[in-house]
Amino acid sequence: MNLWHTDYLVKINQILYKDVLTADNIISQEVSKKYNEEPFFGYELQRDTNLKNIKEKYFVPTDFIEKLPFVVVDKEKFSHKSEVFYFVKKIKSVKIPAEKKLEFRELVDTFASYGHSNNKYWTMSKIIVLTAYFERINIRIVTEASFGKDALSDILQLTNGSVANLYRATVAKLKKSLNNDFIVLNELGALSAQDVTDMQSYLLQVGAYKPFYENNSRSIEGTRDSTNLVHKSHIIFHNPPYYYITKKQPYFEQMFTPAVMDRFPGLYFEGYVTEDFSQGINDVVVTSEDLTTIKNVISTINFLKENPIPKSEYKFEEDYFKFTGKQKQRSLRTFNTICKYISLYSRSKEEFLEWIGVLKLSYDSYKVIVSEGEDKKW
């Protein structure tokens, strides 16, 4: 049984986080409610129960939120405007400590370590996804459906949380997930014309590394919604253009203005997952060795998120990626951040140059695919 089988990870997750409330359970902004006739500021959290379609709602005072994840030790049921909540009175933190249990290279090689036809691109995609969890970047990853890119964000959500992988997301759906620090936008091709317009406005703001997203949709009421973006990464997953051409659908470059492309450079990765995940695991028991491995991965990821590396040990020439115009401010910032962690992964300057060559190749390859467009003989 491969450690990174999603169903197996769910079992590990249930062991590590049984009865635990995490940031993923938050369903509201900060609100005020009366409990025992006294006003409290806090957040609404919700989780599933063993009963189908029955959920428990919690009102967690603001002072407790920074201590997530935690187990509720003492609670009391109360009602607010016909809704029933549990007021959280006492908690026990269960956060796995942020400790450097693994070197970064060991972390990358351990994370999602299963068979792939192109280990070069698979490793690069892991470095990029982990980088997005540690620091803010904006990028697109373009692959065939069998590459396995979704698995990387899904695994990260199961281990460390605060990841939202959204399929065909409208801005309205997206806004509900902005309590997460890492947003994956998956397959935007089926959006309506108005949804594309709204999404473009969002992507232009976040892609420009703006500190806040200003939503004007409530302008009729004379107000704006503002969301802090300082620590939020965005990766867009989609297939190559020919996939959509054969389906007579617009592809990314046809949907959005070139300014979005400047802010979200595309990387084309070839290959496919070769690991056999068809085996059922209903009767598989989680081993102590696997549990320790996952704890070490979680601890190290938490450590690097709380202690991002300040600079790259190895450098590349300023015009290496041939960015022009405003790309030098936006795309280059993203590539510089990724290259910091490529440097951390590399054992030498020579290896670093090889890996940034892989990054450049994926960037240049996608530009060729787009430039050939419908004329390419797929």
Side-chain angles (χ1 to χ4, degrees):
M1 170 56 58
N2 187 287
L3 167 61
W4 302 100
H5 190 301
T6 304
D7 292 345
Y8 190 54
L9 281 177
V10 168
K11 286 195 169 190
I12 293 175
N13 181 279
Q14 290 170 344
I15 293 172
L16 293 177
Y17 300 115
K18 186 178 185 299
D19 297 326
V20 173
L21 291 175
T22 73
D24 296 325
N25 298 110
I26 299 174
I27 59 172
S28 77
Q29 298 294 322
E30 188 176 32
V31 294
S32 174
K33 295 186 189 298
K34 278 192 174 182
Y35 167 71
N36 287 343
E37 300 303 317
E38 184 179 350
F40 285 87
F41 292 105
Y43 294 80
E44 295 177 11
L45 278 70
Q46 179 176 280
R47 73 174 176 193
D48 295 331
T49 66
N50 293 328
L51 300 175
K52 186 177 180 180
N53 298 326
I54 303 296
K55 299 180 183 295
E56 288 182 340
K57 284 189 174 182
Y58 295 80
F59 181 69
V60 179
T62 299
D63 290 346
F64 287 162
I65 284 296
E66 291 185 357
K67 298 177 182 178
L68 287 168
F70 55 66
V71 173
V72 176
V73 176
D74 190 11
K75 64 186 180 182
E76 184 175 351
K77 189 179 289 187
F78 76 107
S79 64
H80 178 81
K81 295 183 179 178
S82 78
E83 287 191 277
V84 176
F85 293 87
Y86 285 104
F87 184 88
V88 176
K89 302 168 74 173
K90 188 177 180 181
I91 62 169
K92 178 183 178 183
S93 178
V94 294
K95 186 174 182 178
I96 294 176
E99 297 180 20
K100 186 180 177 182
K101 297 287 188 178
L102 306 169
E103 294 298 327
F104 183 65
R105 189 183 185 98
E106 188 179 4
L107 171 65
V108 172
D109 292 345
T110 301
F111 186 80
S113 55
Y114 47 77
H116 201 278
S117 69
N118 195 319
N119 285 322
K120 175 177 62 178
Y121 282 136
W122 185 238
T123 298
M124 180 59 66
S125 66
K126 291 196 287 182
I127 291 173
I128 291 171
V129 167
L130 288 169
T131 298
Y133 197 77
F134 305 146
E135 298 191 47
R136 184 181 182 182
I137 63 171
N138 303 304
I139 200 96
R140 281 183 293 148
I141 293 180
V142 185
T143 74
E144 303 293 346
S146 56
F147 181 82
K149 55 188 179 293
D150 288 330
L152 297 178
S153 57
D154 291 343
I155 288 171
L156 199 49
Q157 166 59 17
L158 283 170
T159 56
N160 291 74
S162 198
V163 179
N165 188 349
L166 307 174
Y167 281 82
R168 299 178 176 87
T170 62
V171 171
K173 180 179 179 181
L174 170 62
K175 286 173 60 180
K176 295 178 181 178
S177 299
L178 288 177
N179 58 303
N180 297 283
D181 286 339
F182 182 11
I183 309 295
V184 174
L185 297 174
N186 217 321
E187 292 299 340
L188 298 175
L191 299 181
S192 69
Q194 183 57 54
D195 288 336
V196 169
T197 298
D198 294 341
M199 182 59 72
Q200 178 165 283
S201 174
Y202 178 83
L203 294 178
L204 288 173
Q205 291 187 54
V206 300
Y209 281 95
K210 289 185 178 294
F212 295 95
Y213 164 58
E214 299 289 349
N215 177 20
N216 297 320
S217 63
R218 297 179 59 197
S219 58
I220 293 176
E221 303 173 23
T223 61
R224 289 183 176 183
D225 287 334
S226 181
T227 303
N228 191 323
L229 299 171
V230 171
H231 299 294
K232 298 189 189 302
S233 283
H234 292 74
I235 293 185
I236 300 171
F237 287 165
H238 63 80
N239 295 324
Y242 62 80
Y243 172 87
Y244 306 97
I245 292 170
T246 58
K247 293 179 176 292
K248 302 188 184 308
Q249 295 177 352
Y251 53 88
F252 195 88
E253 281 73 14
Q254 294 175 330
M255 294 171 60
F256 298 103
T257 178
V260 173
M261 268 41 83
D262 289 345
R263 292 160 168 80
F264 287 86
L267 305 176
Y268 180 62
F269 293 149
E270 295 179 288
Y272 53 89
V273 173
T274 58
E275 191 81 24
D276 181 9
F277 287 115
S278 62
Q279 177 185 355
I281 66 161
N282 289 338
D283 298 325
V284 174
V285 177
V286 175
T287 68
S288 59
E289 181 181 359
D290 287 344
L291 198 59
T292 298
T293 297
I294 292 298
K295 284 182 178 180
N296 288 342
V297 166
I298 293 171
S299 292
T300 304
I301 290 174
N302 284 341
F303 176 83
L304 287 167
K305 185 172 178 61
E306 293 182 14
N307 302 276
I309 59 175
K311 61 181 180 179
S312 174
E313 180 178 354
Y314 306 120
K315 305 292 182 183
F316 56 88
E317 296 296 329
E318 184 176 340
D319 63 345
Y320 181 78
F321 292 104
K322 307 300 181 186
F323 292 130
T324 59
K326 291 185 177 180
Q327 275 193 311
K328 287 189 175 181
Q329 302 171 12
R330 292 155 180 166
S331 294
L332 186 56
R333 174 172 170 176
T334 286
F335 275 54
N336 278 335
T337 303
I338 293 170
C339 287
K340 280 199 307 180
Y341 290 91
I342 293 177
S343 175
L344 191 62
Y345 181 83
S346 301
R347 292 192 176 105
S348 66
K349 177 67 176 289
E350 290 71 26
E351 186 182 11
F352 170 73
L353 293 176
E354 289 177 8
W355 279 114
I356 65 168
V358 173
L359 182 63
K360 186 176 188 299
L361 177 62
S362 66
Y363 174 65
D364 291 341
S365 296
Y366 186 65
K367 287 195 296 183
V368 170
I369 290 174
V370 173
S371 67
E372 292 176 337
E374 297 186 22
D375 293 331
K376 185 173 177 64
K377 303 300 184 184
W378 306 110

